């Protein structure tokens, strides 16, 4: 199953084999794995070197360990907004897209996800281009302008992305399922952010967020493709290795999503041309040994035309399409399965069939042929990436965000070991009704919405409020036992009822009465 992501740009992963040996001044070689070498600059910044002479081009990718997982109250979408803002330039590099185009850039982009943000450009091979790309990335890491006028223009671009997602049934249903499944962890909040946060974030807050996370102690750089390795290390040390480390220590995120204790359901009613049903389950993080088995499980469900969901739902005309989405992360992630149902179809039948197919694997398991086919498909996907150094550079950042770039190799090693028993076991452990969140998209031509009231400016509204006539005030009273005794009148009625009266002025002229009745005896109150 392809690792597909929502509200962000999709990336795929691949690696090649080549072992660089050169070392630069002030640079330490700390790891060499199958053609990728990790170096540490003098200030501790990790850099990955991946030479590949198959194409006359190279890619520089800078990864900052900040994503929507790190956003606080009122900050949703801030990491993604900053991604846009960093293309607006610095004092030295005033128009980054224009400067890259002048050098014949082949591709440039940035992506934001839960755990990281990355920036990359692919340029024709050459020392001048290589130095420019490394210098520019080091410059915008610390010196991006983050101006109010740029925020005003980019906010509308991001808001347009937000609205595109809001008008996509699959995207919005996925978002609602995640939001319902994650009550506390930020994986339940979309990377694109909340509309009001996007529209109203003060530029001062955005700049403070930038200055907090865009620092040399929170970044990794990858250089991949055709280049002189000694020159690359020289430029990296010159522009990144000389950056001063901040005095602050970044706080660690520590919120853990509690174990789900029962099925959750969310129903989405909007205009639309199709119905949809989706189910999701909490699963381990990308670093967990079970992750590869869950990827195989999702592939067995999704594959076309041999996948279980395709055969049971598409071939039988219950659904027009099916898909699975495995969302890995630094923290425990999520597995989702979806079915698109025509308006004329039976959504209830689709729901029961989808749940039945997914959750029956824990009891009935899968076959050797299914596992073999799924593993082979996942391996072929990886192999198809090997020839592209740009894709390699970009996707090393993905695994760096999960905790360590070497996880890519760990995942491959675990994938090769996945067995029928592993797939059945992870299905038994995670694909449970108590761990399930169900989402339904029910299209309607006339959705009914409650009024969304605005927050009232109470200070302004009540500025001239004078209230009514003051109520009667009470008298000062000395509550000592002697004074209470002196002020109290006691007596007994003919009926035997005892009374005590304590006259005093009270606030609002309120009279308070209190009574106690004794009844019964030991025998009559027994049991």
């Amino acid at each position: 199953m392809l690792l597909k992501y929502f509200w962000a740009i999709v990336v795929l992963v691949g690696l090649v084999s080549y072992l660089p040996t050169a070392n630069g001044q002030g640079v330490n070689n700390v790891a060499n794995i199958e053609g990728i070498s990790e170096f540490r600059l003098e200030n501790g910044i990790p850099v990955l070197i991946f030479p590949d002479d198959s194409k006359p081009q190279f890619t520089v990718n800078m990864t900052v360990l900040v994503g929507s997982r790190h956003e606080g109250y009122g900050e949703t979408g801030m990491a993604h907004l900053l991604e846009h803002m960093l293309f607006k330039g610095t004092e030295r590099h005033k128009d980054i897209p224009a400067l890259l185009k002048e050098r014949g850039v082949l591709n440039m982009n940035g992506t934001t996800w839960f755990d990281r943000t990355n920036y990359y450009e692919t340029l024709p091979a050459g020392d001048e281009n290589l130095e420019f790309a490394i210098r520019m990335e080091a410059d915008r890491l610390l010196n991006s302008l983050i101006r109010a006028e740029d925020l005003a223009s980019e906010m509308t671009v991001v808001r347009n992305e937000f609205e595109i997602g809001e008008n996509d049934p699959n995207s919005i249903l996925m978002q609602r399922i995640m939001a319902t499944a994650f009550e506390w962890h930020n994986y339940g909040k979309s990377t694109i952010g909340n509309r009001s946060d996007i529209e109203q974030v003060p530029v001062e807050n955005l700049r403070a967020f930038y200055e907090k996370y865009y620092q040399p102690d929170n970044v990794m750089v990858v250089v991949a493709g055709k280049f002189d390795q000694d020159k690359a290390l020289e430029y990296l040390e010159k522009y990144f290795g000389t950056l001063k480390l901040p005095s602050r220590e970044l706080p660690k995120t520590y919120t853990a999503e509690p174990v789900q204790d029962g099925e959750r359901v969310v129903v989405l009613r909007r205009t639309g041309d199709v119905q949809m049903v989706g189910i999701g389950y909490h699963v381990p993080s990308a670093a967990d040994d079970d992750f590869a088995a869950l990827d195989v499980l999702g592939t067995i469900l999704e594959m076309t035309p041999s996948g279980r969901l395709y055969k049971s739902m598409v071939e039988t005309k219950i659904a027009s399409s099916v898909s699975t989405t495995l969302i890995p992360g630094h923290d425990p992630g999520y597995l989702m399965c979806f079915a698109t149902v025509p308006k004329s179809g039976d959504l209830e039948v689709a729901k029961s069939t989808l749940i039945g197919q997914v959750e029956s694997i824990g009891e009935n398991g899968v076959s050797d042929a299914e596992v073999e086919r799924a593993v082979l498909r996942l391996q072929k996907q990886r192999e198809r990436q090997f020839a592209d150094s740009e894709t390699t550079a970009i996707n090393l950042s993905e695994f760096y965000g999960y905790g360590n770039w070497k996880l890519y190799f760990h995942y491959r090693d675990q994938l090769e070991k996945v067995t029928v028993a592993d797939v059945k076991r992870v299905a038994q452990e995670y694909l449970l009704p108590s761990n399930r969140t169900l989402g339904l998209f029910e299209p309607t031509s006339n959705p009914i919405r409650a009024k969304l009231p605005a927050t009232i400016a109470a200070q302004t509204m009540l500025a001239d409020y004078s209230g009514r006539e003051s109520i009667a005030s009470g008298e000062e009273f000395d509550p000592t036992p002697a004074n209470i005794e002196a002020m109290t009148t006691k007596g007994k009625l003919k009926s035997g009822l005892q009374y005590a009266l304590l006259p005093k002025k009270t606030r609002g002229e309120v009279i308070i009465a209190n009574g106690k009745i004794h009844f019964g005896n030991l025998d009559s109150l027994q049991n």
Side-chain angles (χ1 to χ4, degrees):
M1 179 185 62
L2 289 175
L3 302 182
K4 296 175 293 184
Y5 314 106
F6 60 104
W7 320 311
I9 296 174
V10 176
V11 289
L12 302 173
V13 182
L15 298 174
V16 300
S17 295
Y18 185 92
L19 182 61
T21 57
N23 200 346
Q25 185 178 2
V27 181
N28 295 315
N29 184 198
V30 296
N32 299 295
I33 299 179
E34 300 180 28
I36 297 176
S37 294
E38 179 180 359
F39 293 84
R40 293 281 170 159
L41 304 183
E42 194 166 6
N43 57 6
I45 293 178
V47 298
L48 301 184
I49 300 296
F50 170 38
D52 176 15
D53 292 340
S54 62
K55 297 179 183 178
Q57 63 186 50
F58 69 88
T59 299
V60 173
N61 178 90
M62 178 176 71
T63 304
V64 184
L65 289 180
V66 61
S68 55
R69 171 165 65 92
H70 304 88
E71 295 168 345
Y73 184 79
E75 295 180 344
T76 64
M78 199 173 280
H80 180 240
L81 263 174
L82 274 178
E83 175 210 313
H84 283 245
M85 296 289 283
L86 258 69
F87 284 90
K88 292 298 183 179
T90 67
E91 288 293 344
R92 184 173 185 179
H93 303 90
K94 294 187 180 298
D95 188 341
I96 288 175
L99 291 172
L100 287 169
K101 288 175 183 177
E102 289 175 3
R103 294 180 172 273
V105 67
L106 303 171
N107 194 16
M108 60 176 168
N109 210 337
T111 71
T112 307
W113 194 225
F114 290 134
D115 304 306
R116 56 88 196 137
T117 305
N118 77 308
Y119 306 85
Y120 65 92
E121 54 279 333
T122 298
L123 290 163
D127 290 348
E128 288 187 8
N129 278 349
L130 180 64
E131 182 174 14
F132 168 81
I134 292 174
R135 183 184 71 224
M136 183 270 292
E137 292 295 358
D139 187 29
R140 70 170 164 179
L141 173 68
L142 293 181
N143 302 315
S144 292
L145 297 174
I146 318 296
R147 295 171 294 206
E149 56 267 32
D150 292 331
L151 175 59
S153 64
E154 287 307 305
M155 180 277 291
T156 61
V157 177
V158 173
R159 184 174 59 190
N160 184 57
E161 291 182 32
F162 172 88
E163 290 171 347
I164 290 172
E166 284 285 303
N167 292 323
D168 179 1
N170 183 73
S171 175
I172 199 65
L173 183 61
M174 191 179 292
Q175 179 182 330
R176 293 292 187 271
I177 290 174
M178 291 284 285
T180 305
F182 288 90
E183 293 186 307
W184 304 106
H185 196 283
N186 264 10
Y187 284 175
K189 294 182 173 62
S190 70
T191 301
I192 197 70
N194 173 46
R195 186 184 191 113
S196 63
D197 288 357
I198 295 170
E199 293 178 335
Q200 300 182 51
V201 57
V203 70
E204 296 81 10
N205 294 21
L206 191 62
R207 190 178 294 114
F209 192 86
Y210 166 72
E211 292 172 354
K212 177 180 180 180
Y213 288 102
Y214 280 68
Q215 294 289 345
D217 63 343
N218 200 40
V219 67
M220 180 185 78
V221 184
V222 182
V223 181
K226 183 177 176 61
F227 56 89
D228 183 306
Q229 180 174 303
D230 289 337
K231 287 287 188 181
L233 292 171
E234 176 189 335
Y235 299 147
L236 287 164
E237 180 61 26
K238 179 179 179 180
Y239 296 109
F240 276 96
T242 55
L243 297 180
K244 184 179 179 181
L245 293 173
S247 57
R248 65 96 184 90
E249 184 174 342
L250 273 176
K252 304 295 184 183
T253 60
Y254 48 81
T255 299
E257 186 66 27
V259 174
Q260 191 168 317
D261 54 5
E263 182 188 15
R264 299 171 186 170
V265 180
V266 58
V267 180
L268 183 62
R269 295 185 178 92
R270 294 189 174 194
T271 56
D273 299 324
V274 295
Q275 305 177 91
M276 292 195 71
V277 57
I279 50 177
Y281 305 85
H282 294 277
V283 296
S285 69
D288 196 284
D289 288 345
D290 282 346
F291 183 76
L294 285 160
D295 206 1
V296 172
L297 189 158
T299 304
I300 289 171
L301 288 167
E302 182 190 47
M303 286 181 74
T304 302
S306 62
R308 291 197 173 192
L309 295 182
Y310 186 88
K311 285 189 169 298
S312 63
M313 302 191 72
V314 178
E315 290 186 357
T316 60
K317 309 297 184 184
I318 293 174
S320 57
S321 66
V322 293
S323 64
T324 61
T325 299
L326 179 60
I327 301 177
H330 177 277
D331 297 341
Y334 213 61
L335 172 66
M336 286 183 281
C337 303
F338 293 91
T340 301
V341 182
K343 266 189 175 181
S344 59
D346 192 324
L347 191 60
E348 188 63 30
V349 170
K351 180 191 79 172
S352 60
T353 304
L354 181 64
I355 293 174
Q357 286 293 321
V358 172
E359 295 185 3
S360 65
I361 293 179
E363 180 178 353
N364 302 325
V366 294
S367 68
D368 289 324
E370 286 178 307
V371 172
E372 182 179 354
R373 189 161 50 238
V375 170
L376 183 61
R377 181 187 180 189
L378 291 168
Q379 290 174 329
K380 289 296 182 183
Q381 288 170 353
R382 291 169 56 90
E383 291 172 6
R384 282 196 294 268
Q385 304 302 314
F386 284 2
D388 190 356
S389 59
E390 178 187 84
T391 303
T392 302
I394 296 166
N395 288 280
L396 285 171
S397 70
E398 200 67 44
F399 285 85
Y400 185 62
Y402 300 155
N404 193 306
W405 64 273
K406 300 174 189 175
L407 284 172
Y408 178 76
F409 296 99
H410 177 77
Y411 165 80
R412 178 205 58 194
D413 296 344
Q414 296 305 116
L415 180 63
E416 293 172 350
K417 300 175 185 178
V418 173
T419 66
V420 168
D422 291 330
V423 175
K424 182 176 182 180
R425 176 181 55 78
V426 295
Q428 288 174 333
E429 292 180 358
Y430 304 110
L431 306 188
L432 302 173
S434 62
N435 192 34
R436 179 206 311 147
T437 297
L438 167 70
L440 299 171
F441 177 77
E442 299 179 356
T444 175
S445 58
N446 185 30
I448 300 174
R449 299 284 185 267
K451 180 182 177 181
L452 183 62
T455 300
I456 303 299
Q459 292 281 14
T460 302
M461 182 182 72
L462 301 176
D464 299 323
Y465 183 76
S466 58
R468 301 177 183 178
E469 183 179 349
S470 299
I471 64 173
S473 60
E475 65 176 286
E476 183 178 352
F477 183 78
D478 179 13
T480 60
N483 188 50
I484 293 174
E485 187 67 26
M487 297 284 292
T488 301
T489 300
K490 299 180 181 180
K492 187 174 184 180
L493 302 180
K494 293 181 179 180
S495 62
L497 179 69
Q498 298 180 70
Y499 63 85
L501 304 176
L502 176 57
K504 66 182 292 286
K505 292 181 179 180
T506 60
R507 180 170 175 78
E509 299 181 335
V510 174
I511 298 175
I512 299 174
N514 193 3
K516 180 163 45 173
I517 300 175
H518 298 278
F519 66 94
N521 55 41
L522 183 62
D523 293 331
S524 66
L525 295 178
Q526 187 72 30
N527 299 320

